[in-house]
Amino acid sequence: MADSSFDIVSKVERQEVDNALNQAAKEISQRYDFKGTGASISWSGEKILMEANGEERVKAILDIFQSKLIKRGISLKSLDAGEPQLSGKEYKIFATIEEGISQENAKKVAKIIRDEGPKGVKAQVQGEELRVSSKSRDDLQAVQTLLKEKDLDFAVQFVNYR
C-alpha cells in the first residue's frame, strides 16, 4: 500500500487580505472619531501602510484591520506589524503579510513531529513547505491534531491530503 501524505504550508489568500483592507478603509472613512484626522490604510508596494495624526489613532486603525482579518479567516500570525513611527506630523505603521515556512521553522516542526508524533511518520522539508507522509492515515490526522495544539509562532495550513 502506498504512503498517504499531506503538506504543511503557510499561505495567505491575497484577495482576502485586500478585502479586509478595503473594509477597514471604509470603516475608517465612516467613523466619527476619525473625521478630519487624516487617518488612512492602504497598500504601499508589498506593505500595508496605516497613518493618522496620533499614535493612539494609528493603533486603532491597526486594531480595526486585525478584526477584519479575523472575520475573513486570516490568522494574525501571518501579519507582521511594526511599531508606530513619527514621520513629520503623522504617525505610521508598516505591516507585512508573511508567507512561506522558513527553513528554521520547518526544522522545528519536523522535530516536533519526530519527537512527539506517532512512529513511522516522516517529515521532509521541500522549499517553503513540509511534506508529511505515513502508511497510516490515522497517524497523519494525529500529526495534524498535534500541530494544531502547539502554539507555533506562524500560521500553518494542511493541503494536498492524499
Side-chain angles (χ1 to χ4, degrees):
M1 186 173 137
D3 282 4
S4 298
S5 69
F6 68 89
D7 295 335
I8 302 173
V9 297
S10 182
K11 288 195 166 98
V12 176
E13 187 86 26
R14 177 77 178 206
Q15 185 62 50
E16 290 297 325
V17 174
D18 203 35
N19 291 343
L21 186 130
N22 290 336
Q23 286 179 337
K26 186 174 182 180
E27 182 174 327
I28 290 163
S29 71
Q30 293 174 344
R31 271 182 46 173
Y32 179 76
D33 55 337
F34 286 118
K35 291 277 188 245
T37 62
S40 68
I41 181 170
S42 61
W43 286 106
S44 174
E46 284 296 304
K47 293 185 175 189
I48 297 164
L49 170 65
M50 293 162 257
E51 49 190 356
N53 64 0
E55 187 173 356
E56 292 306 314
R57 284 203 175 100
V58 80
K59 285 181 178 177
I61 293 171
L62 177 61
D63 192 46
I64 291 169
F65 182 54
Q66 287 174 334
S67 72
K68 300 299 181 192
L69 287 174
I70 291 168
K71 283 183 182 171
R72 297 209 150 266
I74 297 170
S75 172
L76 292 182
K77 290 178 181 177
S78 59
L79 178 70
D80 181 24
E83 289 298 311
Q85 301 168 337
L86 184 61
S87 172
K89 293 182 178 178
E90 298 270 305
Y91 278 90
K92 297 181 178 185
I93 294 179
F94 285 100
T96 54
I97 302 294
E98 294 182 356
E99 291 190 292
I101 300 175
S102 68
Q103 290 292 325
E104 179 185 315
N105 287 336
K107 286 178 184 171
K108 270 193 236 174
V109 172
K111 183 172 177 12
I112 289 170
I113 293 170
R114 230 183 4 263
D115 294 349
E116 300 174 34
K119 298 285 178 240
V121 175
K122 296 186 283 292
Q124 304 160 317
V125 178
Q126 297 180 330
E128 292 189 334
E129 59 185 46
L130 199 67
R131 164 99 11 114
V132 180
S133 57
S134 171
K135 292 202 181 311
S136 163
R137 287 179 169 244
D138 291 342
D139 287 351
L140 292 180
Q141 289 174 338
V143 168
Q144 287 182 356
T145 305
L146 171 72
L147 292 175
K148 285 177 186 172
E149 289 170 357
K150 291 286 177 194
D151 188 28
L152 301 171
D153 52 354
F154 55 96
V156 293
Q157 294 87 32
F158 307 112
V159 296
N160 293 340
Y161 191 78
R162 339 188 155 93

